[in-house]
Amino acid sequence: MALLEYRQRDSFLHLLHPAAKGIWIITMGVVLSIYFDPIPLGVILLLNLPFYFLGRIPWKRWLKPLGIVLFLGMIGYFVVSLFLNRPGVFTRYPDISRITLISIASERFFLGSMSITVGGIMYTLGQTIRSITLVFMVAVFVYSTAPSDLVYILNKLHIPHKLVFIVMVAYRFFPHIFHKLNVVIAAQRLRGWELSSRNPIKLARQYLPIIIPVFTEVVRISEYTTKAVESRAFGKSRFVLHRELNWGLKDSLFSVLWLAIAAIFLYLYIVHQIGVL
Amino acid sequence: MTSYAVELKDVSFTYWNSEEESLKSLNLQIPKGQFVVITGPTGAGKSTFLQLLNGLIPHQIPGRLKGEVLVEGYNTRHSSVAELAQHVGLVFEDPDTQIVSLAVEDDIAFGPSNLGLPPSEIRARIVEALEKTRLSGFEQRNPFTLSGGEKQSLAIAGILAMRPSILVLDEPTSMLDPIGRSRIVAILKDLSTDIGTTIIVAEQNPELILEFADRVLLFDHGQIVLDGTPREVFTNIPVLTDIGVKIPPMVETFWELSKLGLWNGAYPLTITEAAHLLEQKIKGAPLKMPSSTSHQASQKETIVDVRSVEHVYEGELKALRGVNVQFQRGELTAIIGQNGSGKSTLSLHLVGILRPTNPQGRIFVAGHDVLNIPVKKLMRYINYVFQNPDEQLFMETVYAELEYGLVNMDLCADEWQPRLEESLTLFGLNEFANLPPKSLRRGLRTKVAIASIVAMQPEVLIIDEPTTGLDRRESLEILRVLEALVNNGSTVIIITHEMDLVAQFARRVIVMHGGEILMEGTPSEIFNQPNELHKASLLPPEIFLLASRLGWMPGNNLRNPADLAMMISQVI
């Protein structure tokens, strides 16, 4: 539950303007979306690595769940890579799909031929590095950015306040409902509730003792929250932000750094085809 | 300009889904600047009345409204809730549902921001509201990380920032622990000195705020049955008894003295008043400790044995610190302590929902090692009722709700049906057996939740806050059923903040603080040590505080005001 949850600290990343961190995420997101070659992707990961640590995130708690997600992702990429053994799959290095290390199934296999190739391994490595870079970047962003600052940015972007309010309430009540879910599961376990069927319809019915009380709580929260916000003049006038987030020199330098890095990688990709497999 | 903050002219209200009027022909004037306490049993119409004042009724809550509600001269029927929000601020019972922002200062700013005030004005109001609610320094905190009392303070701050001339609070302390209650009471006390602000507070247990209230309105069945000063209302014992409202303990003690023919004067409301009267009465008489029965530690069988249990949440918070404690068979034990002291964490270990995070931690229930037995089997020996009945109830009828757990125990109908019938009868639920639990009022839903577990006949029953949200009569009904279960050989453990109920019903008390057992003993052994209790931010019941003021150390014969009156009768 604590995973990806904001914690107040005074680290370098925590003190950055959320928009500066947004520039970091967007610029690197664009580069990562077009790069497949594990070598430049590895360079990008190395460039980002110091900033993961500057957020002072609790690695011990994060590594296990993130590791599981990335491991499962890697398996998925590897399975896909088994089919990347035909000519023409790779454009910059066309031969790597032909260097077969282990042949698993022939052309007659109903899914087509499957083999472990150098190209497939390069693809798996690239996708894994890309995922690590992106997942850690988003995780560090969420961990180091106060939800209230995110809401502030959404307001600044002139997104209608009612939409921003929905985001804010969802963010506010998610931990509460998650806690309720755990309580309801515990309460029903103490009355003998357990999942005992493999039939999906029966299984769905077995979830009713959990779903109904949680749903009741969600309805109760929405009813009372509606009353509470109405009582605080919600929607009476244009919503006024009471504070400004200051954009400082470090925010400018951080943004310029990542814009420059992104520009270099885009140049290398467009002009020299670097990043393509 | 009207001189009344609130004026009701022949007001009645019926909810859209009900035949019966929730408020009946109310006529009332509340002058500006008055501090008014609204009290009465659950379902008396208190919350309905409060929601009339800021226009939630009729604009947000559908129903049939008759008569006129004027707030600062504005007819609520013709003014929107948002318009009225600048005149009336309403704080609800549950702070969790009224805090919508992700930082304390943003939540305080929410109302003024909706009013479109200039940022500098909003910032000034934030500072002012933070100071008034003692939240300065909490500006950037996530509300989810605040304690219950701090959250309710934040809810009040959010309303104060709108600078309403009328502040309305609907049972603001009912969901709080003692320290949270003290915090809110202190804030209300400060606010009561604000000239010009009208404060209207609904409270089930109003003795905490009586000393600074100007007026009390006692509601019952949608009507105002008493309207007067706190002394006028809370000394009208026939009416209070008839309605089932809690009589302030000092009043009840002197009422008991008057029944013994030892008092015929005015009843005191506070401990100071009571002590003063008694000191005058017993002047010259030997101020000796009345005779009392001392506690004889009976040798009972240990049914729950907790050894060296520690629990650490998510690698951060140490919720239990090497707890060693035993519970005896056939006793009603109360676990008391502030929120976060480890009461619920310990109890959830006993039923196998949580496990010790240290290898040495062991728990035995009726001789069974909790760590080596699945919850589904353990529930036959020990079970737990959560604080909010709605976290458990989901079936279409009360009967089916009780049946659910029994069927899951793999009992045949011949075995479970008598248990179910017995439990329905024990809790007086027979007439509601075919009704949906969700349609019942809170007190009955709590009974259904407890009855569904009692029907499973565990040897040990743990109940978390069995009286939250209930009025005095309902609370006593539930405690008396639990007492009956104990008399029949069951073991009951309750987690509660209601010290007077602990004194009256518990045979043993365990005080938790900071994840440790601070004290354990009989109620008198615990409540005779106010300084130790203070470490856990707890206060003894008023009857013990009065006894202490008289220099007495009462024994186990002091359980309620009648006992105290009997003790006093021995020296005057």
PDB file of all heavy atoms in Angstrom, chain B residues 107-127:
ATOM      1  N   ASP B 107      -7.060  22.171   2.473  1.00  0.00           N
ATOM      2  CA  ASP B 107      -8.419  21.851   2.889  1.00  0.00           C
ATOM      3  C   ASP B 107      -9.070  23.040   3.597  1.00  0.00           C
ATOM      4  O   ASP B 107     -10.256  23.304   3.409  1.00  0.00           O
ATOM      5  CB  ASP B 107      -8.438  20.624   3.805  1.00  0.00           C
ATOM      6  CG  ASP B 107      -9.817  20.001   3.819  1.00  0.00           C
ATOM      7  OD1 ASP B 107     -10.176  19.371   2.797  1.00  0.00           O
ATOM      8  OD2 ASP B 107     -10.556  20.203   4.792  1.00  0.00           O
ATOM      9  N   ILE B 108      -8.278  23.753   4.372  1.00  0.00           N
ATOM     10  CA  ILE B 108      -8.831  24.942   5.033  1.00  0.00           C
ATOM     11  C   ILE B 108      -9.199  25.984   3.971  1.00  0.00           C
ATOM     12  O   ILE B 108     -10.210  26.681   4.089  1.00  0.00           O
ATOM     13  CB  ILE B 108      -7.821  25.519   6.048  1.00  0.00           C
ATOM     14  CG1 ILE B 108      -7.558  24.488   7.158  1.00  0.00           C
ATOM     15  CG2 ILE B 108      -8.332  26.820   6.652  1.00  0.00           C
ATOM     16  CD1 ILE B 108      -6.445  24.859   8.110  1.00  0.00           C
ATOM     17  N   ALA B 109      -8.380  26.028   2.908  1.00  0.00           N
ATOM     18  CA  ALA B 109      -8.622  27.035   1.859  1.00  0.00           C
ATOM     19  C   ALA B 109      -9.798  26.671   0.957  1.00  0.00           C
ATOM     20  O   ALA B 109     -10.281  27.529   0.210  1.00  0.00           O
ATOM     21  CB  ALA B 109      -7.360  27.179   1.008  1.00  0.00           C
ATOM     22  N   PHE B 110     -10.254  25.427   1.028  1.00  0.00           N
ATOM     23  CA  PHE B 110     -11.259  24.947   0.070  1.00  0.00           C
ATOM     24  C   PHE B 110     -12.510  25.838   0.046  1.00  0.00           C
ATOM     25  O   PHE B 110     -12.968  26.257  -1.030  1.00  0.00           O
ATOM     26  CB  PHE B 110     -11.635  23.501   0.411  1.00  0.00           C
ATOM     27  CG  PHE B 110     -12.569  22.867  -0.573  1.00  0.00           C
ATOM     28  CD1 PHE B 110     -12.118  22.433  -1.811  1.00  0.00           C
ATOM     29  CD2 PHE B 110     -13.917  22.702  -0.266  1.00  0.00           C
ATOM     30  CE1 PHE B 110     -12.989  21.845  -2.723  1.00  0.00           C
ATOM     31  CE2 PHE B 110     -14.788  22.115  -1.169  1.00  0.00           C
ATOM     32  CZ  PHE B 110     -14.325  21.684  -2.396  1.00  0.00           C
ATOM     33  N   GLY B 111     -13.061  26.142   1.224  1.00  0.00           N
ATOM     34  CA  GLY B 111     -14.275  26.969   1.286  1.00  0.00           C
ATOM     35  C   GLY B 111     -14.033  28.378   0.769  1.00  0.00           C
ATOM     36  O   GLY B 111     -14.713  28.836  -0.161  1.00  0.00           O
ATOM     37  N   PRO B 112     -13.039  29.096   1.332  1.00  0.00           N
ATOM     38  CA  PRO B 112     -12.770  30.451   0.826  1.00  0.00           C
ATOM     39  C   PRO B 112     -12.438  30.466  -0.674  1.00  0.00           C
ATOM     40  O   PRO B 112     -12.811  31.409  -1.373  1.00  0.00           O
ATOM     41  CB  PRO B 112     -11.556  30.899   1.655  1.00  0.00           C
ATOM     42  CG  PRO B 112     -11.656  30.115   2.926  1.00  0.00           C
ATOM     43  CD  PRO B 112     -12.247  28.798   2.544  1.00  0.00           C
ATOM     44  N   SER B 113     -11.743  29.429  -1.166  1.00  0.00           N
ATOM     45  CA  SER B 113     -11.430  29.375  -2.601  1.00  0.00           C
ATOM     46  C   SER B 113     -12.713  29.262  -3.413  1.00  0.00           C
ATOM     47  O   SER B 113     -12.840  29.845  -4.482  1.00  0.00           O
ATOM     48  CB  SER B 113     -10.521  28.179  -2.907  1.00  0.00           C
ATOM     49  OG  SER B 113      -9.264  28.362  -2.307  1.00  0.00           O
ATOM     50  N   ASN B 114     -13.674  28.481  -2.898  1.00  0.00           N
ATOM     51  CA  ASN B 114     -14.956  28.352  -3.590  1.00  0.00           C
ATOM     52  C   ASN B 114     -15.731  29.670  -3.588  1.00  0.00           C
ATOM     53  O   ASN B 114     -16.548  29.913  -4.469  1.00  0.00           O
ATOM     54  CB  ASN B 114     -15.822  27.279  -2.923  1.00  0.00           C
ATOM     55  CG  ASN B 114     -15.349  25.873  -3.262  1.00  0.00           C
ATOM     56  OD1 ASN B 114     -14.886  25.640  -4.377  1.00  0.00           O
ATOM     57  ND2 ASN B 114     -15.457  24.963  -2.324  1.00  0.00           N
ATOM     58  N   LEU B 115     -15.467  30.499  -2.577  1.00  0.00           N
ATOM     59  CA  LEU B 115     -16.156  31.797  -2.512  1.00  0.00           C
ATOM     60  C   LEU B 115     -15.488  32.828  -3.421  1.00  0.00           C
ATOM     61  O   LEU B 115     -15.973  33.945  -3.557  1.00  0.00           O
ATOM     62  CB  LEU B 115     -16.159  32.320  -1.065  1.00  0.00           C
ATOM     63  CG  LEU B 115     -16.987  31.516  -0.056  1.00  0.00           C
ATOM     64  CD1 LEU B 115     -16.774  32.060   1.351  1.00  0.00           C
ATOM     65  CD2 LEU B 115     -18.460  31.545  -0.403  1.00  0.00           C
ATOM     66  N   GLY B 116     -14.357  32.455  -4.017  1.00  0.00           N
ATOM     67  CA  GLY B 116     -13.671  33.354  -4.950  1.00  0.00           C
ATOM     68  C   GLY B 116     -12.963  34.509  -4.271  1.00  0.00           C
ATOM     69  O   GLY B 116     -12.788  35.570  -4.871  1.00  0.00           O
ATOM     70  N   LEU B 117     -12.547  34.310  -3.016  1.00  0.00           N
ATOM     71  CA  LEU B 117     -11.868  35.397  -2.296  1.00  0.00           C
ATOM     72  C   LEU B 117     -10.454  35.602  -2.851  1.00  0.00           C
ATOM     73  O   LEU B 117      -9.865  34.675  -3.411  1.00  0.00           O
ATOM     74  CB  LEU B 117     -11.783  35.051  -0.802  1.00  0.00           C
ATOM     75  CG  LEU B 117     -13.115  34.866  -0.073  1.00  0.00           C
ATOM     76  CD1 LEU B 117     -12.867  34.390   1.354  1.00  0.00           C
ATOM     77  CD2 LEU B 117     -13.906  36.162  -0.067  1.00  0.00           C
ATOM     78  N   PRO B 118      -9.880  36.794  -2.672  1.00  0.00           N
ATOM     79  CA  PRO B 118      -8.502  37.020  -3.148  1.00  0.00           C
ATOM     80  C   PRO B 118      -7.515  36.115  -2.398  1.00  0.00           C
ATOM     81  O   PRO B 118      -7.733  35.833  -1.209  1.00  0.00           O
ATOM     82  CB  PRO B 118      -8.234  38.490  -2.796  1.00  0.00           C
ATOM     83  CG  PRO B 118      -9.552  39.068  -2.448  1.00  0.00           C
ATOM     84  CD  PRO B 118     -10.473  37.977  -2.060  1.00  0.00           C
ATOM     85  N   PRO B 119      -6.441  35.658  -3.065  1.00  0.00           N
ATOM     86  CA  PRO B 119      -5.481  34.736  -2.426  1.00  0.00           C
ATOM     87  C   PRO B 119      -4.939  35.268  -1.093  1.00  0.00           C
ATOM     88  O   PRO B 119      -4.772  34.504  -0.147  1.00  0.00           O
ATOM     89  CB  PRO B 119      -4.361  34.610  -3.459  1.00  0.00           C
ATOM     90  CG  PRO B 119      -5.030  34.887  -4.758  1.00  0.00           C
ATOM     91  CD  PRO B 119      -6.105  35.881  -4.476  1.00  0.00           C
ATOM     92  N   SER B 120      -4.680  36.584  -1.009  1.00  0.00           N
ATOM     93  CA  SER B 120      -4.125  37.123   0.247  1.00  0.00           C
ATOM     94  C   SER B 120      -5.132  36.952   1.389  1.00  0.00           C
ATOM     95  O   SER B 120      -4.762  36.621   2.519  1.00  0.00           O
ATOM     96  CB  SER B 120      -3.756  38.597   0.076  1.00  0.00           C
ATOM     97  OG  SER B 120      -4.918  39.312  -0.323  1.00  0.00           O
ATOM     98  N   GLU B 121      -6.405  37.153   1.091  1.00  0.00           N
ATOM     99  CA  GLU B 121      -7.450  36.997   2.094  1.00  0.00           C
ATOM    100  C   GLU B 121      -7.564  35.516   2.511  1.00  0.00           C
ATOM    101  O   GLU B 121      -7.692  35.202   3.700  1.00  0.00           O
ATOM    102  CB  GLU B 121      -8.786  37.494   1.516  1.00  0.00           C
ATOM    103  CG  GLU B 121     -10.022  37.216   2.363  1.00  0.00           C
ATOM    104  CD  GLU B 121     -10.068  38.006   3.662  1.00  0.00           C
ATOM    105  OE1 GLU B 121      -9.292  38.969   3.784  1.00  0.00           O
ATOM    106  OE2 GLU B 121     -10.846  37.624   4.564  1.00  0.00           O
ATOM    107  N   ILE B 122      -7.459  34.639   1.522  1.00  0.00           N
ATOM    108  CA  ILE B 122      -7.543  33.199   1.830  1.00  0.00           C
ATOM    109  C   ILE B 122      -6.388  32.815   2.750  1.00  0.00           C
ATOM    110  O   ILE B 122      -6.583  32.110   3.744  1.00  0.00           O
ATOM    111  CB  ILE B 122      -7.514  32.352   0.533  1.00  0.00           C
ATOM    112  CG1 ILE B 122      -8.733  32.665  -0.327  1.00  0.00           C
ATOM    113  CG2 ILE B 122      -7.467  30.858   0.873  1.00  0.00           C
ATOM    114  CD1 ILE B 122      -8.716  31.997  -1.692  1.00  0.00           C
ATOM    115  N   ARG B 123      -5.194  33.313   2.443  1.00  0.00           N
ATOM    116  CA  ARG B 123      -4.023  32.955   3.260  1.00  0.00           C
ATOM    117  C   ARG B 123      -4.189  33.474   4.693  1.00  0.00           C
ATOM    118  O   ARG B 123      -3.850  32.783   5.660  1.00  0.00           O
ATOM    119  CB  ARG B 123      -2.744  33.505   2.615  1.00  0.00           C
ATOM    120  CG  ARG B 123      -2.317  32.701   1.385  1.00  0.00           C
ATOM    121  CD  ARG B 123      -0.887  33.020   0.983  1.00  0.00           C
ATOM    122  NE  ARG B 123      -0.762  34.368   0.461  1.00  0.00           N
ATOM    123  CZ  ARG B 123      -0.958  34.709  -0.821  1.00  0.00           C
ATOM    124  NH1 ARG B 123      -1.264  33.773  -1.697  1.00  0.00           N
ATOM    125  NH2 ARG B 123      -0.831  35.952  -1.217  1.00  0.00           N
ATOM    126  N   ALA B 124      -4.745  34.677   4.826  1.00  0.00           N
ATOM    127  CA  ALA B 124      -4.959  35.230   6.176  1.00  0.00           C
ATOM    128  C   ALA B 124      -5.946  34.354   6.956  1.00  0.00           C
ATOM    129  O   ALA B 124      -5.762  34.095   8.148  1.00  0.00           O
ATOM    130  CB  ALA B 124      -5.478  36.656   6.068  1.00  0.00           C
ATOM    131  N   ARG B 125      -6.965  33.908   6.268  1.00  0.00           N
ATOM    132  CA  ARG B 125      -7.972  33.072   6.939  1.00  0.00           C
ATOM    133  C   ARG B 125      -7.400  31.705   7.326  1.00  0.00           C
ATOM    134  O   ARG B 125      -7.786  31.130   8.346  1.00  0.00           O
ATOM    135  CB  ARG B 125      -9.191  32.893   6.030  1.00  0.00           C
ATOM    136  CG  ARG B 125      -9.991  34.165   5.867  1.00  0.00           C
ATOM    137  CD  ARG B 125     -11.271  33.894   5.136  1.00  0.00           C
ATOM    138  NE  ARG B 125     -12.047  35.115   4.963  1.00  0.00           N
ATOM    139  CZ  ARG B 125     -13.348  35.125   4.733  1.00  0.00           C
ATOM    140  NH1 ARG B 125     -14.000  33.979   4.632  1.00  0.00           N
ATOM    141  NH2 ARG B 125     -14.006  36.245   4.581  1.00  0.00           N
ATOM    142  N   ILE B 126      -6.495  31.192   6.479  1.00  0.00           N
ATOM    143  CA  ILE B 126      -5.867  29.897   6.811  1.00  0.00           C
ATOM    144  C   ILE B 126      -5.106  30.029   8.134  1.00  0.00           C
ATOM    145  O   ILE B 126      -5.252  29.205   9.043  1.00  0.00           O
ATOM    146  CB  ILE B 126      -4.904  29.449   5.684  1.00  0.00           C
ATOM    147  CG1 ILE B 126      -5.683  29.070   4.424  1.00  0.00           C
ATOM    148  CG2 ILE B 126      -4.067  28.240   6.142  1.00  0.00           C
ATOM    149  CD1 ILE B 126      -4.787  28.830   3.215  1.00  0.00           C
ATOM    150  N   VAL B 127      -4.312  31.088   8.233  1.00  0.00           N
ATOM    151  CA  VAL B 127      -3.504  31.296   9.447  1.00  0.00           C
ATOM    152  C   VAL B 127      -4.414  31.400  10.665  1.00  0.00           C
ATOM    153  O   VAL B 127      -4.182  30.768  11.701  1.00  0.00           O
ATOM    154  CB  VAL B 127      -2.622  32.558   9.287  1.00  0.00           C
ATOM    155  CG1 VAL B 127      -1.915  32.889  10.586  1.00  0.00           C
ATOM    156  CG2 VAL B 127      -1.604  32.345   8.170  1.00  0.00           C
TER     157      VAL B 127
END
